[in-house]
C-alpha cells in the first residue's frame, strides 16, 4: 500500500462511490478488445478499501450492462448496482422484441437482484451525444422508465447533459412517482442547482464536475446535505489541468498500461481509490473540513440508497 494511501486510511474517511463502471474490461486488463496487462480487479478493489471505500455502486447503462453489473455485485459484499437504460443507449428499446418487453426485462432484473439493486438508472437525457441516440428517442424512453420508478420505488441514478430544461420538466411531471435520487457526474452550472434542490435531488460530484472554475463554483453552491461523491471510473479522473487540482494531496504510484506493474494504478485509468482526490478538491474549494464533508456525504448516500442498513 502506498504511504499516501495508508495516511488516508488512518484518517478515518468513509466513502461510498455512487458511480463506478467496474464492468469495463479495462479493469481486467483489456483495452479496445486487446489484452494489455494482467487482470488487476482484486488489487483495484484493495486500493479502494485502503482509502476507506466501503461500498461501490456499479453502474448499469443498458439491459446487458445491468445484468453484468448485478452479476459482478453478487461476487463482493462491497458491491451493489443500478439497473436501467442510459440515454445514449435508449435505441435498444426499439431493437428489442418490443419496448415493453425491454422494460419488463429491466423490471425482472430489478426483482431478481433483491438488495443488490439499489437504484434505477442510469437514466436521463444527453443532448451532447445525439449521434448515439436522437432527442425524441431519449425523451420517450426516459419517460417510460418512470413506470419502473413508480412500481419499484427505487431511488434514481440520473444523467443530464446539456438538457436541463427538458430533464427538469420530466422530473417535475413525475415528482411524487419516484423516491428521490441523485444527478450523478454533474457538469452543469450554478443556475441549474436550485431546480434540482427543489425536487429533493442530490448531486453527485466527480472529476468531470471539477474541470473548470465555473464547475467548481457550481459545486460550492450545493448544500452539504445534498452532496454525494463518486469517481465514474474508469473515466473522469482529476487531471493536472483541472480547476482545484492544487488541493490534491494523495497520490498513487502508476504506470502506463504498456508498462503495467502489479500493485500500481494504471496511468489515466481512473479507479475508486481516487475518490479521495475528489474529496480533497471539494473540501479545499469549499473551505470545509475533509473528514466532516466525507462523513456528511456518506450519510446522505446511506439515507438515500441504503436506508435499511
Amino acid at each position: 500500500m502506498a504511504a499516501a494511501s495508508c495516511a488516508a486510511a488512518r484518517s478515518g474517511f468513509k466513502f461510498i462511490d455512487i458511480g463506478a463502471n467496474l464492468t469495463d474490461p479495462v479493469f481486467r486488463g483489456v483495452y479496445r478488445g486487446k489484452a494489455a496487462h494482467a487482470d488487476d480487479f482484486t488489487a483495484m478493489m484493495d486500493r479502494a478499501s485502503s482509502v476507506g471505500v466501503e461500498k461501490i455502486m456499479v453502474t448499469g447503462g443498458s439491459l446487458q450492462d445491468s445484468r453484468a453489473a448485478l452479476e459482478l455485485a453478487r461476487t463482493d459484499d462491497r458491491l451493489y448496482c443500478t439497473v436501467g437504460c442510459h440515454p445514449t443507449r435508449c435505441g435498444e428499446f426499439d431493437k428489442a422484441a418490443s419496448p415493453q418487453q425491454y422494460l419488463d426485462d429491466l423490471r425482472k432484473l430489478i426483482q431478481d437482484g433483491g438488495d443488490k439493486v439499489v437504484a434505477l438508472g442510469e437514466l436521463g437525457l444527453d443532448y451532447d451525444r445525439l449521434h448515439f441516440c436522437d432527442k425524441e428517442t431519449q425523451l420517450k424512453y426516459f419517460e417510460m422508465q418512470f413506470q419502473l420508478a413508480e412500481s419499484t420505488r427505487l431511488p434514481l441514478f440520473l444523467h443530464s447533459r446539456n438538457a436541463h430544461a427538458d430533464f427538469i420538466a420530466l422530473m417535475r411531471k413525475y415528482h411524487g412517482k419516484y423516491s428521490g435520487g441523485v444527478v450523478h457526474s454533474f457538469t452543469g452550472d450554478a443556475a441549474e442547482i436550485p431546480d434540482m434542490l427543489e425536487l429533493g435531488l442530490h448531486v453527485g460530484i466527480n472529476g468531470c464536475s471539477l474541470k473548470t472554475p465555473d464547475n467548481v463554483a457550481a459545486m460550492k453552491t450545493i448544500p452539504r446535505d445534498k452532496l454525494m461523491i463518486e469517481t465514474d471510473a474508469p473515466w473522469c479522473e482529476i487531471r493536472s489541468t483541472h480547476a482545484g487540482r492544487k488541493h490534491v494531496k494523495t497520490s498513487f504510484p502508476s504506470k502506463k498500461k504498456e508498462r503495467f506493474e502489479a500493485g500500481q494504478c494504471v496511468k489515466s485509468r481512473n479507479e475508486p481509490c481516487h475518490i479521495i482526490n475528489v474529496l480533497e478538491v471539494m473540501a479545499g474549494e469549499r473551505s470545509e473540513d475533509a473528514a466532516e464533508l466525507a462523513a456528511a456525504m456518506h450519510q446522505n448516500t446511506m439515507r438515500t440508497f441504503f436506508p435499511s442498513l
Side-chain angles (χ1 to χ4, degrees):
M1 189 189 304
S5 300
C6 291
R10 287 198 301 269
S11 71
F13 294 137
K14 293 194 301 182
F15 295 110
I16 300 172
D17 188 345
I18 65 163
N21 303 284
L22 298 189
T23 59
D24 194 296
V26 299
F27 293 115
R28 305 295 181 174
V30 179
Y31 299 75
R32 298 181 180 179
K34 295 183 178 180
H37 59 75
D39 182 328
D40 66 333
F41 190 90
T42 299
M44 176 271 295
M45 289 294 295
D46 288 345
R47 283 190 290 272
S49 294
S50 79
V51 301
V53 177
E54 294 182 340
K55 297 178 179 65
I56 301 173
M57 292 166 54
V58 182
T59 307
S62 68
L63 179 58
Q64 181 178 348
D65 283 353
S66 298
R67 284 173 174 151
L70 176 56
E71 183 178 354
L72 179 61
R74 285 172 166 156
T75 68
D76 193 305
D77 289 343
R78 296 165 291 182
L79 300 180
Y80 297 82
C81 73
T82 75
V83 170
C85 190
H86 189 282
T88 63
R89 308 285 290 279
C90 279
E92 294 189 13
F93 277 91
D94 290 326
K95 294 176 183 177
S98 71
Q100 186 60 51
Q101 184 61 57
Y102 193 91
L103 191 77
D104 289 344
D105 287 345
L106 288 172
R107 179 182 287 109
K108 185 177 187 305
L109 190 61
I110 291 169
Q111 293 168 346
D112 291 347
D115 293 342
K116 279 293 184 179
V117 180
V118 295
L120 174 64
E122 181 174 355
L123 73 164
L125 299 171
D126 190 324
Y127 292 173
D128 277 344
R129 291 182 281 180
L130 293 175
H131 53 289
F132 289 124
C133 186
D134 64 82
K135 185 182 297 188
E136 181 182 355
T137 301
Q138 289 191 34
L139 285 164
K140 180 178 181 180
Y141 295 119
F142 179 29
E143 188 161 16
M144 191 177 193
Q145 288 180 86
F146 280 101
Q147 294 178 35
L148 297 180
E150 184 173 12
S151 63
T152 67
R153 303 310 295 177
L154 284 173
L156 306 182
F157 187 75
L158 295 156
H159 178 107
S160 178
R161 285 283 185 281
N162 195 26
H164 183 72
D166 287 348
F167 175 81
I168 288 297
L170 279 173
M171 294 302 297
R172 285 180 175 144
K173 179 177 179 179
Y174 290 97
H175 194 228
K177 303 291 187 181
Y178 55 88
S179 303
V182 61
V183 181
H184 107 102
S185 192
F186 178 73
T187 57
D189 58 39
E192 297 177 8
I193 300 295
D195 291 330
M196 298 174 183
L197 299 182
E198 175 194 334
L199 291 166
L201 298 171
H202 291 77
V203 183
I205 302 296
N206 59 35
C208 288
S209 312
L210 302 168
K211 282 184 179 179
T212 70
D214 285 347
N215 292 153
V216 171
M219 180 273 296
K220 291 166 68 174
T221 70
I222 303 168
R224 184 189 284 187
D225 66 354
K226 289 299 181 183
L227 282 169
M228 292 184 186
I229 192 167
E230 58 180 298
T231 59
D232 207 23
W235 323 115
C236 291
E237 66 176 331
I238 295 179
R239 299 181 180 178
S240 60
T241 56
H242 283 194
R245 180 65 174 77
K246 63 185 178 183
H247 297 292
V248 172
K249 301 173 183 176
T250 306
S251 62
F252 299 86
S254 65
K255 293 281 181 67
K256 291 182 179 180
K257 64 181 186 294
E258 295 83 3
R259 301 178 62 191
F260 174 79
E261 186 171 326
Q264 294 196 12
C265 295
V266 176
K267 192 174 181 64
S268 298
R269 185 190 72 177
N270 196 22
E271 59 179 76
C273 69
H274 296 126
I275 200 167
I276 192 169
N277 299 147
V278 181
L279 173 67
E280 288 165 347
V281 174
M282 292 177 71
E285 289 292 339
R286 292 169 67 94
S287 299
E288 295 183 22
D289 179 78
E292 292 179 2
L293 180 58
M297 292 189 289
H298 185 274
Q299 183 179 45
N300 297 341
T301 307
M302 288 295 295
R303 187 185 303 118
T304 303
F305 294 112
F306 303 94
S308 62
L309 297 183

